[in-house]
Amino acid sequence: MSHRMACDAGDYLHTIVNFAGSTYSDFDECAETGHPNIINVHGTDDDVIYYNGGFIGSNSYPSAPQSTSFWAERSGCEGESTFIREMNLANNDEEPETEDLEHLSCDKGNRVSLWKVNGEAHMPNFYDASLINASFEWAFIESTDGETIVKNDVLEAENYTLIYELEIPDSANFNSNGID
């Protein structure tokens, strides 16, 4: 659903965090309305929406890496993702299971990343708001050469809670086909 929101209202969004979902098999069906930051989070052992893509009924859906690559291509990012870091987001076991694989140097000024949650199924246990906290840090704070640089001032950052709180202009009309 967050991919759909980014397709339909990308210019109104700062960041989406897609969790265990997919996007259009034919990405041309995704309107180019803007270039929000994209975090695509997916467990490699997901048996509901398969990490490597699959079918729902007779409709196919792309893999998690392919879904992320669609956004990277649209944003003019590097074609291959780069391993950035390991994170411990699931199960509070102090074992990093999540790989941050980012498509760097996006021409549109946004960021596009796949968070590959190794060995986790459709609903990992993201303890102590670990996914929300890591997503917020990724979207609003940038680490460069060990320095932490706030990309947006605090007042602006408080206006966003990633996809959870969103101001849509009164002129926007949501319906089953997206936004008019």
Side-chain angles (χ1 to χ4, degrees):
M1 193 66 178
S2 59
H3 282 295
R4 171 76 184 269
M5 181 67 104
C7 292
D8 292 348
D11 51 346
Y12 296 111
L13 301 173
H14 180 276
T15 299
I16 68 156
V17 179
N18 175 66
F19 173 66
S22 190
T23 189
Y24 298 99
S25 287
D26 180 359
F27 201 61
D28 290 337
E29 293 180 34
C30 174
E32 189 165 352
T33 61
H35 300 91
N37 296 313
I38 306 291
I39 304 174
N40 198 21
V41 183
H42 211 116
T44 58
D45 291 350
D46 190 335
D47 61 356
V48 177
I49 302 296
Y50 297 112
Y51 180 85
N52 290 316
F55 288 86
I56 297 176
S58 62
N59 297 315
S60 67
Y61 58 87
S63 69
Q66 187 177 18
S67 294
T68 309
S69 292
F70 288 155
W71 288 107
E73 182 178 337
R74 177 169 286 179
S75 298
C77 309
E78 292 178 3
E80 295 294 319
S81 63
T82 299
F83 174 85
I84 302 297
R85 62 186 168 155
E86 288 185 316
M87 299 178 283
N88 178 25
L89 300 179
N91 302 319
N92 197 18
D93 59 5
E94 298 185 25
E95 294 293 326
E97 76 294 313
T98 303
E99 297 175 52
D100 180 357
L101 305 168
E102 189 162 344
H103 292 266
L104 302 173
S105 306
C106 300
D107 292 342
K108 302 297 183 182
N110 61 329
R111 296 174 71 190
V112 177
S113 190
L114 169 62
W115 289 4
K116 180 181 179 182
V117 189
N118 292 301
E120 292 295 328
H122 191 66
M123 296 295 292
N125 176 23
F126 293 118
Y127 69 95
D128 294 335
S130 61
L131 178 60
I132 293 169
N133 292 334
S135 300
F136 189 86
E137 179 181 318
W138 182 90
F140 292 102
I141 299 173
E142 179 176 82
S143 293
T144 306
D145 298 330
E147 294 182 36
T148 301
I149 302 165
V150 177
K151 289 177 18 176
N152 298 293
D153 65 41
V154 174
L155 291 176
E156 182 179 352
E158 287 176 353
N159 288 330
Y160 300 101
T161 307
L162 304 175
I163 194 83
Y164 304 109
E165 293 178 5
L166 169 66
E167 282 192 41
I168 300 291
D170 292 336
S171 61
N173 178 27
F174 284 93
N175 59 48
S176 62
N177 294 320
I179 296 178
D180 291 331

